[in-house]
Amino acid sequence: MKLLLSVFIVIFSASSHAYNQQALMEAYFGVVMIRGYNEDGGMAYGSGVVVADHTVVTNCHVLRATKQPWVSRGEDAYPITSVRADVWHDLCLVTSPTLPLKPVVRGNSYALTRGQEISAIGHSNGVPAPITSIGEIQGLYSTPSGNMIRSSAKFLMGASGSGLFDMDGKLVGINTFKTAGYGRSIHFALPVEWLETLEKMPASTEFPVRGKALWEEDEDKKPYYMQAAVPESRQDWANMEKISAIWTQNETSNADAWFSLGLAEQSLKQFDAAATAYQKAVSLDGQFVEAWFRRGEVAQRLGDDKTVKDIELQLQKIDPLLVSVYQNYLSCEQNCQKQ
């Protein structure tokens, strides 16, 4: 069901927001491949983004198994001579003195909004040319410097370290980790602002780069949004409900926590409880479109026609175009084959 709702909202986003084709093309040419031989002779590879002259950001876990990595663009190779590594945050800044490529334009993760259309560009599956995946911002999680980003823009193995761009071609995040699920992974990108600290760190010539990243922490030590993402992707609704309930208790003013609880309860057919959770989410964030849609869907299940209509008025205030999308979604909720 969540997949179907995402499709409706992406269609709305694509039809109502423009994108800068030239800027996105320039962003595309700022994405490169990071390659190197493993100790056993196999090939290690990932993605990177040119963020300054002769400088590429990638994930440190891309550099764990190779002593002599290089930057690759098509058939061209450029040696990497040094690295600035923030292993815990899984960001590495590599220097390649002969790299001739133009840096991308940096954006601002604080300026992002839930539901905003974005583009992931990287070398998924190690293909020579970058692959572009369009999606939307599904969640923004505050850190001391920048927002961790959850998006529906897919990336696969080989795209770790790739770029997440807004539709003006500005780099807003570094695609880093995802959950594994039943055909539906959840994708996370690190905020572009973390580069500012990384650029001030000392350079090293030591490879490989090893150490545990924050997303590899024990489950019970991770932030709640990471903990809840795993059972969500596996459709383990009972466990997701348990984690989300604790999340709401500890972060009572977090709309994402209440939405997560509502989604779990709705999936468990606990519709009254789900209605309460979704209502709390929209009371905390009146622009939370997916929560409004879900609240309306549950209201329809409960025969609460007044709430269904009241939500139309709320969506009208956000964007009049959303009303017809909402109506079509509820109609599909009754008549379409859900995914």
Side-chain angles (χ1 to χ4, degrees):
M1 289 190 293
K2 188 174 176 63
L3 175 60
L4 182 62
L5 179 51
S6 295
V7 169
F8 272 97
I9 294 177
V10 166
I11 291 172
F12 160 74
S13 178
S15 64
S16 59
H17 296 86
Y19 65 94
N20 188 327
Q21 185 174 8
Q22 179 61 36
L24 283 170
M25 184 61 68
E26 292 177 1
Y28 178 90
F29 286 110
V31 175
V32 296
M33 185 179 286
I34 306 294
R35 307 181 75 179
Y37 289 107
N38 293 329
E39 294 174 352
D40 62 3
M43 179 66 72
Y45 58 87
S47 296
V49 184
V50 183
V51 292
D53 290 341
H54 317 300
T55 306
V56 175
V57 66
T58 187
N59 291 137
C60 292
H61 74 260
V62 171
L63 303 172
R64 281 179 179 168
T66 178
K67 293 183 177 180
Q68 291 183 307
W70 65 87
V71 178
S72 175
R73 161 57 64 79
E75 296 181 354
D76 298 323
Y78 307 96
I80 292 172
T81 57
S82 66
V83 59
R84 290 176 169 82
D86 182 349
V87 175
W88 174 247
H89 288 110
D90 204 4
L91 280 182
C92 276
L93 204 61
V94 298
T95 299
S96 180
T98 59
L99 185 69
L101 303 178
K102 179 182 176 181
V104 302
V105 178
R106 298 190 200 183
N108 180 355
S109 70
Y110 287 119
L112 299 174
T113 57
R114 201 192 319 266
Q116 180 177 338
E117 195 173 17
I118 38 77
S119 175
I121 306 176
H123 292 269
S124 288
N125 287 330
V127 295
I131 294 175
T132 298
S133 173
I134 303 298
E136 65 168 23
I137 300 294
Q138 295 180 319
L140 295 165
Y141 310 104
S142 179
T143 78
S145 54
N147 284 322
M148 183 76 76
I149 305 164
R150 169 176 165 166
S151 88
S152 62
K154 295 181 179 180
F155 60 90
L156 304 175
M157 185 178 69
S160 292
S162 62
L164 188 69
F165 298 89
D166 66 19
M167 301 313 281
D168 287 319
K170 294 180 180 178
L171 181 69
V172 294
I174 307 301
N175 296 312
T176 299
F177 63 98
K178 62 179 183 172
T179 63
Y182 301 114
R184 184 181 174 278
S185 298
I186 295 173
H187 304 79
F188 291 92
L190 309 178
V192 67
E193 288 84 359
W194 285 4
L195 285 175
E196 296 173 11
T197 299
L198 185 61
E199 289 170 327
K200 299 173 184 176
M201 298 180 72
S204 169
T205 58
E206 294 293 322
F207 293 96
V209 177
R210 293 197 171 104
K212 185 167 73 172
L214 58 86
W215 54 272
E216 297 171 309
E217 182 60 278
D218 295 339
E219 283 299 315
D220 61 348
K221 296 179 182 178
K222 291 179 181 178
Y224 289 115
Y225 65 84
M226 288 190 196
Q227 292 186 41
V230 174
E232 179 183 347
S233 65
R234 296 174 180 171
Q235 299 180 10
D236 180 358
W237 305 120
N239 194 29
M240 182 181 176
E241 181 189 28
K242 179 180 177 181
I243 293 169
S244 300
I246 297 172
W247 188 4
T248 59
Q249 292 167 13
N250 286 277
E251 299 180 21
T252 57
S253 298
N254 189 317
D256 288 287
W258 289 102
F259 178 83
S260 181
L261 180 60
L263 179 60
E265 291 170 336
Q266 180 184 2
S267 300
L268 291 168
K269 302 188 184 305
Q270 300 171 8
F271 298 120
D272 287 309
T276 300
Y278 287 141
Q279 191 63 45
K280 183 67 174 179
V282 296
S283 71
L284 291 167
D285 181 358
Q287 302 294 310
F288 200 156
V289 172
E290 187 172 358
W292 281 117
F293 274 52
R294 289 287 182 180
R295 179 68 183 94
E297 182 181 1
V298 169
Q300 182 171 266
R301 286 289 190 108
L302 294 171
D304 184 357
D305 294 336
K306 181 180 183 303
T307 296
V308 171
K309 289 295 184 182
D310 287 345
I311 290 172
E312 288 187 12
L313 299 177
Q314 296 297 329
L315 294 172
Q316 177 80 22
K317 295 176 184 177
I318 298 172
D319 189 322
L321 293 175
L322 280 169
V323 176
S324 62
V325 180
Y326 170 70
Q327 292 170 339
N328 289 336
Y329 175 70
L330 292 188
S331 174
C332 195
E333 199 279 330
Q334 292 179 318
N335 303 312
C336 297
Q337 178 66 40
K338 286 301 184 77
Q339 299 187 48

